[in-house]
Amino acid sequence: MPSSDSRPLQGVLLVIAAVALFACFDTGVKIASALAPVGVVVWARYLFQVGVTAVTVLPRRGRALLRTERPGLQLLRGLCLLSLSVLAFFSLQVMPVGEFTAIVMLTPLLITLLAALTLGERISAWRWLLLAGGMAGALIVIRPKGEAQDLGWAALLPLGLVVSNALFQLITSRLARTEDPATTHFYTGLTGALLTSAALPWSWQQLSPTTWALLALLGALSSSGHFLLILGYMRARAATLTPFLYFQIVFATLVGWIGFGHAPDALTLLGIAIITGCGTLGTWLASREPTPAR
C-alpha cells in the first residue's frame, strides 16, 4: 500500500475528480429534496453505497473486506458523513445554493488548521496565504447576488456541516495509512444505512419511478466521489490536497452554466482563476517542502 506522502499528483487528480462528482451530487440533492422527504433521500443514498460495495467487492474479498484495525475510527467516519449528509440536505432545502456553498467553503481552512494541530503537518506562511487566496476566490465566485435573504437559524446548519466535513476529511486521511479503501468505503456506507433504516418509518412515503432513478443516480455520484477521496488521501497529505477542495466551486459553476444556463460573469471567471492558481501553486510548494518523519 502506498504511503500518504507518495504519488501526490495522483492524489490531487483523484480529489479533483471526487469534488466534480460532489458538485453534480449537490445539484441533484437540490432537485431530490423537492420530490422526496430528506430521510428517504439520505437512506437511499447510503443503501446504494453499501449495496454496490457488497455486490462488487464482497464476492472477491470475502471476509477480508470486513477486516479493520481501527473499528472506532471507521464508526466515527461513518457518523461524520451521516451528520454531514443530513445537514447538507436540510441546508439545501432552506438556503440558496450560492449562500450554502459560501459557508461550506470554510472547510478547507479548518482542515488545514486541524491538520497542523492533530496530524503534525507543518504549514508554511506562503501556503497559509494561498489558502486564504483560494477562499477569497471562492467568495468571488459564489458572492450573493440580488437582495440578501434573512436565513436566521438556517445559517447554523452549514456551519455544523463545516465541522463535520473537516473531521471527516482528517479521519479519512488517518485511515488511509493502514486501511483498505474498500473496507473504509463499506463501513462508512454500512453505518449510514443502519442508522437511516432505523429512522425510515418516520419519513417513508411512496415515490415515483423517476424519483427512484434520481436517488439511484445520487447514490452512484456520492459513492464514487467518496471512494475516489479515499484513494486520493492514500497518495498525498491532507494539507497538500486541501487547496483542491476549492475546485468544487469551479465544477458547481460549470454545472449551473450547462444545466441551468447560468453563464459566469467576469468576476466569476476571475474567482475561478484565483482558485486554480492558488491551488496549483500550493501543491508545487508542498512538493518542495521536506517530508515529515514517520
Side-chain angles (χ1 to χ4, degrees):
M1 179 180 296
S3 70
S4 59
D5 292 315
S6 66
R7 295 187 285 175
L9 179 58
Q10 292 182 23
V12 166
L13 294 176
L14 286 166
V15 166
I16 290 176
V19 298
L21 294 179
F22 293 152
C24 296
F25 174 78
D26 286 342
T27 302
V29 165
K30 186 74 173 177
I31 299 172
S33 296
L35 302 175
V38 170
V40 176
V41 177
V42 177
W43 168 77
R45 170 250 184 276
Y46 281 102
L47 188 67
F48 184 92
Q49 176 176 334
V50 72
V52 169
T53 305
V55 170
T56 59
V57 181
L58 190 58
R60 294 185 288 109
R61 298 286 184 87
R63 294 183 178 179
L65 179 67
L66 308 178
R67 192 174 301 122
T68 175
E69 299 177 10
R70 310 296 295 273
L73 277 183
Q74 295 285 9
L75 175 61
L76 184 58
R77 183 179 189 269
L79 291 174
C80 285
L81 184 58
L82 178 58
S83 65
L84 190 161
S85 300
V86 172
L87 289 170
F89 278 53
F90 277 115
S91 297
L92 287 169
Q93 276 193 329
V94 298
M95 295 180 66
V97 175
E99 282 79 350
F100 166 79
T101 309
I103 299 175
V104 172
M105 279 299 103
L106 296 173
T107 301
L109 294 178
L110 182 58
I111 290 174
T112 300
L113 176 61
L114 292 178
L117 295 177
T118 65
L119 301 182
E121 297 188 2
R122 300 182 61 182
I123 312 298
S124 67
W126 277 108
R127 289 174 64 198
W128 279 113
L129 183 60
L130 290 170
L131 284 170
M135 182 65 180
L139 292 176
I140 291 174
V141 172
I142 55 180
R143 66 195 183 280
K145 302 174 180 66
E147 296 183 358
Q149 179 178 354
D150 183 13
L151 299 174
W153 61 269
L156 299 177
L157 294 176
L159 290 177
L161 189 153
V162 167
V163 176
S164 295
N165 196 9
L167 292 174
F168 172 79
Q169 305 285 358
L170 291 175
I171 292 171
T172 300
S173 179
R174 182 66 61 88
L175 287 173
R177 299 177 181 180
T178 59
E179 301 291 296
D180 186 290
T183 297
T184 297
H185 196 57
F186 176 76
Y187 276 116
T188 299
L190 181 63
T191 300
L194 291 176
L195 293 177
T196 54
S197 293
L200 189 61
W202 286 272
S203 58
W204 177 258
Q205 75 174 36
Q206 293 293 331
L207 304 179
S208 68
T210 301
T211 303
W212 279 115
L214 176 59
L215 295 182
L217 176 60
L218 290 179
L221 291 172
S222 178
S223 182
S224 300
H226 284 289
F227 190 69
L228 292 177
L229 197 66
I230 295 171
L231 295 178
Y233 277 112
M234 292 179 66
R235 290 161 171 79
R237 293 178 293 160
T240 301
L241 298 177
T242 293
F244 292 90
L245 298 178
Y246 288 111
F247 272 73
Q248 185 166 343
I249 294 297
V250 178
F251 292 117
T253 302
L254 291 176
V255 169
W257 187 8
I258 296 172
F260 304 102
H262 299 153
D265 55 21
L267 278 177
T268 299
L269 292 176
L270 173 63
I272 292 174
I274 292 174
I275 295 168
T276 305
C278 289
T280 303
L281 185 55
T283 300
W284 179 77
L285 289 175
S287 68
R288 296 177 63 87
E289 293 178 355
T291 301
R294 290 291 179 193

